[in-house]
Amino acid sequence: MYKVACIVFALFAVASAVPSAFDTEHVWKAGNLSYPFPGNAILGGFDPYGYNIYIGRVKYSNTILPARVVAETGVAYFNNQLTSSKATSYDLLVAGRNVNYLWVRSFDGLYERYAVSVGTSVYNERVFMCRAKTDGGLLIGSLFLSEKLCIIKHETLALRKFDKYEVLVGQPKNGTVF
Ligand SMILES: *[C@@H]1O[C@H](CO)[C@@H](O)[C@H](O)[C@H]1NC(C)=O
Ligand SMILES: *[C@@H]1O[C@H](CO)[C@@H](O)[C@H](O)[C@H]1NC(C)=O
């Protein structure tokens, strides 16, 4: 009986670990330091060194995560619930003709209408973009609605968790429906 339960559990665990997928609802452009930086990349804040950070995403450990991209150095900084890392190739969110990007105040993992997802996690949960003022910067972090927290960790700084934060939303302009 115990063995059967274990097998059923193992099957469930395998079934729920689906591959992550990139969001296709918004316009993302692949980038690295060799490519011209797109003029329509969207500014998301500034880092503790005063560099502007643009809104990006990377794939890490089978999860698509929001990234803080510095145009001058071509480095994308990002974090998940546990750790921070960086990458030298990334996607940048670029302005779409029919959408207005703005940050709205939110809290406790509420779903905000038109919240921008970067893609999905290894557990097939959509990952959203949040930001907060911390560590001398205005930093973009990862919002997993199920965790009810905006999680930010920049480089070697401490992991920060916010229950109040801003969420990036992409509002359709005048009546565009999607
Ligand atoms: C950027 O990507 C292109 C295409 O994959 C590659 O040829 C180039 O070496 C990359 N540049 C950097 C700085 O990583
Ligand atoms: C509003 O909608 C009209 C008709 O669909 C379109 O021509 C116009 O460009 C739109 N305006 C904006 C600001 O998107």
Side-chain angles (χ1 to χ4, degrees):
M1 190 61 192
Y2 174 73
K3 212 175 199 174
V4 170
C6 281
I7 290 166
V8 168
F9 177 77
L11 283 175
F12 180 76
V14 167
S16 63
V18 296
S20 54
F22 286 97
D23 159 76
T24 55
E25 193 179 322
H26 298 272
V27 184
W28 299 89
K29 264 194 184 161
N32 70 22
L33 205 51
S34 307
Y35 297 123
F37 202 78
N40 56 350
I42 300 168
L43 197 57
F46 55 93
D47 76 7
Y49 306 105
Y51 280 120
N52 283 331
I53 50 180
Y54 291 86
I55 298 173
R57 68 178 178 187
V58 297
K59 184 174 185 172
Y60 177 78
S61 191
N62 260 321
T63 291
I64 315 301
L65 293 169
R68 309 176 278 274
V69 181
V70 175
E72 289 85 347
T73 55
V75 177
Y77 300 89
F78 58 91
N79 62 271
N80 61 16
Q81 303 94 319
L82 301 171
T83 187
S84 62
S85 191
K86 53 192 173 183
T88 52
S89 61
Y90 41 77
D91 285 346
L92 286 164
L93 181 65
V94 296
R97 240 181 318 154
N98 294 318
V99 54
N100 268 328
Y101 289 104
L102 58 139
W103 295 91
V104 300
R105 286 191 189 183
S106 190
F107 57 96
D108 291 347
L110 286 188
Y111 171 73
E112 299 296 338
R113 196 168 185 212
Y114 304 124
V116 178
S117 166
V118 290
T120 54
S121 74
V122 68
Y123 301 113
N124 205 21
E125 177 181 0
R126 293 214 293 160
V127 184
F128 295 93
M129 277 195 273
C130 57
R131 75 174 181 183
K133 271 190 185 151
T134 184
D135 296 305
L138 179 57
L139 295 174
I140 300 165
S142 299
L143 173 64
F144 301 88
L145 300 185
S146 62
E147 306 219 1
K148 305 181 189 300
L149 294 165
C150 175
I151 303 171
I152 302 174
K153 176 168 167 53
H154 192 67
E155 297 243 79
T156 55
L157 299 170
L159 184 90
R160 313 272 184 209
K161 295 179 173 183
F162 301 88
D163 54 11
K164 294 192 188 72
Y165 46 80
E166 291 179 304
V167 170
L168 184 69
V169 301
Q171 284 180 346
K173 286 179 185 168
N174 76 13
T176 315
V177 177
F178 63 88

